[in-house]
Amino acid sequence: MQKPPAPFPEPIFVTRPLFPEFSDFQLALNGIWERHWLTNKGKLHDELEAALAARLRTPHLSLVSNGTAALMLAARALELQGEVITTPLTSPATVNAFAWCGLKPVFADVDADTLTLDPAAVKNAITPDTSAIVGVHLYGMPCDVAALQAIAQRNDLRVIYDCAHAFGTEIGGKPIADFGDASIFSFHATKLFNTAEGGAIATADSEIKRKADLLRTLGIQDEVTVALPGINARMNELEAAFGLANLKKLDAEWEARAKLATIYRERLAEIDGLDCFELPASVRHSHHYFVIRIDNERCKITRDDMYERLKSYNIFTRRYFYPLCSEFSFYRSLPSSNPANLPNATKAAAEVLCLPFYGALGGEAAGRICDAIIYLVNRN
Ligand code: T4K
């Protein structure tokens, strides 16, 4: 029997925000002090907006205050009405943002393997009131964009993609923001690329960009014209400075995470009933999360047991996204929330576990996390 591994002396969380070099941030702050300009399309804001549009290879990008606001603004810019079809296996942000815009969420099941919207389930969920499909590229796994686009075209629906986990993802060399009418990103502290709080709307449609830019700043077009009923969803100069400095560290962070992923994959491959969530070879990984699925029947330990017991080693994993959004008290009574309608999402929510995953974790710590996982499986 393997010796029990020693607990980590400090808590190990699912992620740790990427920080820029302090000197780079400080340099950018000097400029803010000199210009005395804090928000409302500052110099750094515009620089970051341009840098991200180039990095994500999208024709138009609007920086905003967070990913949730990006979803709300996208819904408004596309003038959605009635119902939107989406996945229950996502952050509350995805669904709540549309509900805040007065839209009715309709949940469709996910594909059993990709955990993204199942096009057949989407097709079945369409009613005369449907205005859009909202896909989530969950854990950086792209939705079946071709099938969803075909459904949208046939039924005159708009498509929004939630790319919060898919910064830098490519499908067959195409950037992730190439698909749908609009794509939203989150730059929250816990995201691969972060500005502490932040987000963006990317689109190829100049009219959506025009509206998003107005909507993020109260709809104000000029001193005497308020063109749209907008909100305040602006990114400020401090966040933009943090983001510009952080961009310099992004490639190294991605590489470090790729190495951690290899360690996890190699060490955990041997466990019966535990699978690492894999992306197709044609997809460039965002390395946003490292996700395992524990089959509660086949594995010697259940997902929830693993999640609880790892805490005694000071390892704090997360069950993103359990419970499903369809199980929240305020959505539970929707007809589409019936678990019988969502068998794959229900199963996945009981199986997924996100392991600690950030460059500063280091290979040695990832190895020790694997030791703990393997030990817990074998002692059962
Ligand atoms: N769409 C999707 C698919 C999303 O996942 C999200 C956000 C959105 C849209 C909306 O984007 P935003 O409006 O947030 O920009 C976190 C994030 O708050 C949330 O942004 C994210 N999804 C969600 C999946 O995860 P929590 O409640 O799990 O975060 P929290 O505070 O527990 O942080 C996780 C771990 O990170 C902590 O245990 C420790 C570490 N941490 C966190 C922060 C904030 C740090 O070490 N330092 C920090 O500053 O929601």
Side-chain angles (χ1 to χ4, degrees), residues 12-17 19 65-71 89-95 136-139 162-165 184-191 196-199 288-289 316-318 320-321 358:
I12 301 290
F13 296 115
V14 69
T15 192
R16 240 176 121 192
F19 270 63
S65 51
N66 57 64
T68 310
L71 286 161
L89 187 63
T90 185
S91 158
T94 317
V95 185
V136 178
H137 301 307
L138 194 73
Y139 318 133
D162 181 333
C163 305
H165 304 173
I184 76 89
F185 293 86
S186 163
F187 308 137
H188 180 258
T190 55
K191 299 293 181 281
E197 293 277 3
H288 181 67
Y289 285 124
F316 295 87
T317 58
R318 293 298 285 266
Y320 294 133
F321 288 100
Y358 50 91

Side-chain angles (χ1 to χ4, degrees), residues 164-221:
H165 304 173
F167 189 100
T169 296
E170 292 174 4
I171 312 176
K174 279 189 152 196
I176 197 69
D178 255 16
F179 306 96
D181 296 289
S183 298
I184 76 89
F185 293 86
S186 163
F187 308 137
H188 180 258
T190 55
K191 299 293 181 281
L192 173 74
F193 168 71
N194 88 84
T195 56
E197 293 277 3
I201 301 157
T203 180
D205 183 335
S206 56
E207 183 57 10
I208 294 175
K209 161 75 176 162
R210 187 187 72 81
K211 284 187 181 161
D213 282 356
L214 277 171
L215 288 167
R216 71 183 169 183
T217 186
L218 310 173
I220 296 171
Q221 191 167 303

